[in-house]
Structures are given as C-alpha cells and as structure tokens.
Amino acid sequence: MSSLSQGRILVTGGAGFIGSALVWALNRRGLDNILVADFLGRDEKFKNLIPLRFADYLEADELLAALSTDDPRLRDVRHVFHLGACSATTESDAAYLIRNNYDYTRSLARWSLARGARFVYASSAATYGDGAQGMDDREADLIRLRPLNMYGYSKHLFDLYAQREGFLPQIVGLKYFNVFGPNEGHKGDMRSVVHKAFHQIRATGRASLFKSYRPDYPDGGQKRDFLYVKDAVDMTLHLAETPAAAGLFNIGSGTAHTWLELVTPIFTALGLPPKIEFVDMPETLRAKYQYFTQADVSKLRASGYSAPVTPLQNAVLDYVSNYLAPGQFLE
C-alpha cells in the first residue's frame, strides 16, 4: 500500500500549474483525501481545479494562520507538497518574494517536521544561475551557487536554511527545470514557450523566439532541459513515496534541447510548415538569461526512479493535440 493513502495530503499551489497536475496524478491513483491551498486571486487558475477531486480547499493565508492552531482540517495531514510560490522570474519586489517563497516555506517545513509529516517542496533550477558552478544536486556545493534573479535567490535562500538547520536529511526539495504542459494557461508571461508559440502560430502562422546574444549559441540554438509536466509529477510522487529519498533532487529530463527542437513539433501537430522569426530580447533580461540548462538526474535515478522520460517531440505533440488545440484541462 502506498504511503500516500495513509492520512490526508496537503498540496499548496494546488490550483497552479504543477500543483493541479499533481492533484490530477493523485486522482488517477484513486486518491482524493486532499487538502488544496492556493491564492485564487483574479486569474482563471480556478479552472484547473474544476475537473479534480479533493476533500477541501482553503486560501493560502488561511493555511498559514491555521498552522498555529489545532485546525481540524490539518490534524490528519501525513504528506505535504509545498508547490505554492510566486514563480515570476521577473518579479522585482524582493520583500514580497521573501514572504511568499522563503518565510512561508520555512513555517510550513517546521510545522511538517514537528508533526512527522513528509515534506516535499519546490525549489528551482533558477538557483543554479548561469550554470558556472554546475547543475548537479550535490548539497555540499549549495553555498557556491549564484542565482541570476530574485526569484531564484528566494528559492536558494530556503535551500540554504534547510541545510543549515539540518532539515535536508528529513525533507525533499525539488529543483524543477523547464516544465511545460497542460494547466499552465493562467501563468501569463511565465507560460512555457510551447503555450505561447501555439497561440502565435494559430494567430499568425509563425512563432517568435529570442535572438541569441552569445556567439557560441546561434539564434534558436540556446538550450534548456525541457520536461513534460506528467513526468515531473511522476518524479515528485516517486520521491514522496521513497522514505530513503532526502535532500535536493533535480527534476528534469537529463537532456538539453534547443528552442528550435521545442517549437518545431508544434507546427507538426498543427499540420503546418515551420515559420520561425527571431526577435530582440528585452534589455532587462539579457544579463539574467540562461543559455544552457541540463539536469544531472543521477541522484533521482539512484533513488530508484526508473521510468523513461517522455521524448520531447512526443510530449509537445501530446500537449498540443490533446490539450491546447481542443482547449482541455487535465482531468
């Protein structure tokens, strides 16, 4: 019997992109004793929740207040998936990011550990910065990392805190790379290039990609580790169910692909010839842009995760054909 079937499961950010995909994956396992927390706000991410099954919902600030009380909704929580955060890499309000991504995570981690609940949280590959210090998940190297933006630093700050406080041997931190897939439509500018390019192609017949500003990378030849969200949640659940798994783990495909390799299958799925234009990158992004990311997933594999990663072209075709084109959510 899976440990996830014992007690209640708390998913923060449960209406968001990866969070709602995680609830979907739990539902597919027959699990619905789930407490979802999020900030629904004024966007339309509530639509991600409509097809899903869960026991209760509360706003994230209400959850934070409930941690210091004997709230009956929290008494039987045995697994905590803390995926809620401000994920905008362009957010410049440092105090806001500290409150949402550092302070909240610290409070929830301490609450979980005090009650013996399994704590799994979202860190980020943005903690690696430009990759000059490598992109493996060996915790001895944490202090050497140099995030390029405040979002990445807010995630890095908690990783360092968890290491300093001795939490890492008891919890799981997930360094998600470039995850894409269904249920990301509410993310605005933080949507994946697949989502953005699909709508560009439908409207104009062409897709736009940023020009390269480094001679060692041609236009469209910048490389990222792209991971389908269905694979990301499979990896997440594996680590949650593996008692011996602890510390930081890269969540990626282990392979770097170019933006051209990502975008071309969209045209294939739509039955159109590829037409790609290269546009100027905003000045504000140029100094903070990652030209290459590739997850070292050897630690994830060593934990016993043996499932193959969905090939990039297959993942894009599934996303476009079964979700974007028909306007469907995960259900």
Side-chain angles (χ1 to χ4, degrees):
M1 177 184 294
S2 167
S3 62
L4 290 167
S5 63
Q6 302 169 21
R8 177 167 282 193
I9 302 166
L10 170 61
V11 181
T12 73
F17 171 37
I18 298 178
S20 62
L22 181 72
V23 176
W24 167 81
L26 290 167
N27 287 172
R28 284 168 64 89
R29 294 179 175 211
L31 300 172
D32 58 12
N33 192 15
I34 303 165
L35 175 62
V36 171
D38 211 318
F39 284 117
L40 287 183
R42 292 183 171 84
D43 62 28
E44 296 197 335
K45 66 181 175 181
F46 75 90
K47 292 181 178 179
N48 291 340
L49 292 176
I50 292 174
L52 305 178
R53 305 189 311 277
F54 49 94
D56 207 349
Y57 172 85
L58 71 164
E59 285 285 295
D61 53 356
E62 185 182 357
L63 169 62
L64 190 60
L67 297 181
S68 59
T69 69
D70 187 27
D71 192 302
R73 291 169 295 186
L74 301 178
R75 286 178 192 163
D76 196 33
V77 169
R78 294 290 178 269
H79 287 81
V80 176
F81 293 92
H82 181 43
L83 306 181
C86 172
S87 59
T89 57
T90 55
E91 177 58 61
S92 58
D93 187 339
Y96 173 77
L97 287 166
I98 290 296
R99 288 193 303 272
N100 281 272
N101 295 359
Y102 175 65
D103 289 342
Y104 201 117
T105 308
R106 183 176 57 183
S107 296
L108 194 53
R110 285 193 169 278
W111 180 89
S112 301
L113 288 170
R115 286 154 183 79
R118 179 75 159 155
F119 185 70
V120 179
Y121 75 97
S123 179
S124 174
T127 59
Y128 291 128
D130 64 5
Q133 303 300 323
M135 291 189 175
D136 63 63
D137 39 18
R138 290 177 300 172
E139 291 147 26
D141 295 337
L142 276 184
I143 194 63
R144 299 172 56 200
L145 300 183
R146 297 293 182 267
L148 295 174
N149 52 53
M150 186 57 208
Y151 162 72
Y153 180 63
S154 70
K155 292 292 191 177
H156 181 54
L157 195 60
F158 179 76
D159 293 344
L160 290 170
Y161 173 81
Q163 183 182 57
R164 185 173 61 252
E165 294 296 309
F167 291 175
L168 287 181
Q170 307 170 70
I171 66 178
V172 172
L174 308 170
K175 294 203 172 193
Y176 291 111
F177 278 66
N178 282 70
V179 182
F180 69 95
N183 292 19
E184 63 170 321
H186 65 281
K187 289 173 63 68
D189 286 344
M190 294 298 107
R191 293 169 295 150
S192 73
V193 166
V194 180
H195 192 286
K196 293 177 182 178
F198 167 79
H199 289 286
Q200 287 179 340
I201 294 165
R202 287 268 287 245
T204 68
R206 66 182 67 230
S208 298
L209 295 175
F210 285 141
K211 294 177 181 176
S212 172
Y213 292 83
R214 284 177 48 174
D216 48 336
Y217 289 93
D219 291 341
Q222 306 97 316
K223 290 187 172 184
R224 296 284 178 89
D225 188 319
F226 302 109
L227 182 69
Y228 201 27
V229 70
K230 294 181 181 181
D231 292 314
V233 297
D234 280 348
M235 295 171 181
T236 300
L237 290 172
H238 160 77
L239 291 169
E241 293 180 287
T242 305
L248 297 171
F249 290 85
N250 286 335
I251 304 296
S253 70
T255 303
H257 289 280
T258 67
W259 291 108
L260 290 174
E261 291 175 297
L262 180 73
V263 169
T264 300
I266 305 174
F267 291 95
T268 303
L270 295 174
L272 296 172
K275 291 184 180 179
I276 299 170
E277 62 180 359
F278 297 99
V279 299
D280 292 333
M281 185 186 299
E283 291 279 356
T284 55
L285 293 182
R286 294 182 192 180
K288 303 176 181 179
Y289 186 78
Q290 289 179 308
Y291 276 80
F292 181 90
T293 68
Q294 181 171 294
D296 178 346
V297 294
S298 56
K299 188 174 176 182
L300 173 68
R301 293 299 188 188
S303 76
Y305 187 78
S306 58
V309 174
T310 306
L312 182 62
Q313 179 169 331
N314 294 0
V316 173
L317 291 174
D318 179 62
Y319 183 22
V320 173
S321 301
N322 296 317
Y323 299 97
L324 286 178
Q328 296 296 313
F329 295 88
L330 288 166
E331 59 179 274

